[in-house]
Amino acid sequence: FYNDVEMSFRKDSYGTDKEAGSTWYHEHGHYVDHNTSLPRRNMDFFNAIERDIIAFEDRWLSEHGMSRSDISVKDLRYRIGLEIVRYGNNLTHGIQDIYGGVYKEYNAHSGGGTRWGHTWDYWTRGNRNFEVTSEAWANMFDAAFSPKGQAAMKEFLPTAWEWFERRLGGLR
């Protein structure tokens, strides 16, 4: 609202399993988004995120010898959500949030397999696509400051991560 970033380093590093400074980087991602409107209103970014999630689901099904007809969408997304958490909760909180913004079954507050994320009401309070791309940008901005976070983004959202990197490199 005031076009600045305020936070408490003590609160950011206490009682969570996120990496140190994670909130700081995330909020700066929102600051960049707010001042450029670059990711927030970009449907190419949203579409890349959505395609990455579907591709990950297809890969997961293949690795488990299954097809979409073998499992309900709810169960599939619950199982993948649990796998994302097991990958490393401190590395995947942003990924969990993004997946939960795109598909309700991944949403941490609707019985999905994820731990981190906004409520479905948050995602649907306005234009969900804009909400998702704004949060995805901030979550990726956070991951950009962690080699392990970058690796996780490349694993779960490779096309969207490439989009993010190309746009970030174009900011002056």
Side-chain angles (χ1 to χ4, degrees):
F1 180 78
Y2 294 106
N3 200 27
D4 61 4
V5 175
E6 291 183 34
M7 65 164 289
S8 165
F9 287 104
R10 184 179 55 78
K11 289 179 184 176
D12 185 42
S13 61
Y14 180 76
T16 71
D17 56 358
K18 295 190 294 182
E19 292 192 80
S22 179
T23 302
W24 177 255
Y25 297 125
H26 176 92
E27 295 305 327
H28 274 83
H30 281 304
Y31 181 81
V32 170
D33 174 32
H34 175 77
N35 284 289
T36 65
S37 296
L38 178 64
R40 180 180 22 210
R41 301 198 184 276
N42 194 298
M43 282 306 297
D44 289 338
F45 189 32
F46 182 86
N47 292 336
I49 293 166
E50 192 172 45
R51 282 191 311 271
D52 281 344
I53 295 171
I54 296 298
F56 188 86
E57 289 176 352
D58 289 342
R59 190 168 66 239
W60 188 94
L61 287 165
S62 177
E63 289 171 0
H64 290 82
M66 302 169 80
S67 70
R68 289 192 181 268
S69 63
D70 296 327
I71 189 170
S72 71
V73 169
K74 184 177 180 176
D75 194 31
L76 169 67
R77 293 181 176 161
Y78 179 81
R79 290 182 187 194
I80 290 173
L82 291 175
E83 193 167 304
I84 293 170
V85 170
R86 283 192 299 268
Y87 184 92
N89 206 36
N90 63 327
L91 299 174
T92 63
H93 60 276
I95 295 162
Q96 294 171 51
D97 192 34
I98 295 166
Y99 272 50
V102 176
Y103 294 111
K104 188 173 186 175
E105 297 86 0
Y106 284 112
N107 191 273
H109 306 282
S110 63
T114 58
R115 258 191 74 204
W116 289 92
H118 291 88
T119 64
W120 191 248
D121 289 343
Y122 174 88
W123 295 117
T124 57
R125 66 186 178 174
N127 183 315
R128 187 173 58 87
N129 296 349
F130 295 169
E131 299 291 349
V132 169
T133 53
S134 179
E135 285 301 324
W137 176 270
N139 288 330
M140 290 181 180
F141 200 87
D142 165 17
F145 292 89
S146 162
K148 290 180 182 178
Q150 290 176 40
M153 284 291 178
K154 290 175 186 175
E155 172 73 20
F156 292 98
L157 295 161
T159 309
W161 180 258
E162 286 178 21
W163 187 96
F164 167 79
E165 284 188 316
R166 279 194 314 272
R167 296 320 176 280
L168 190 62
L171 292 177
R172 302 273 182 237

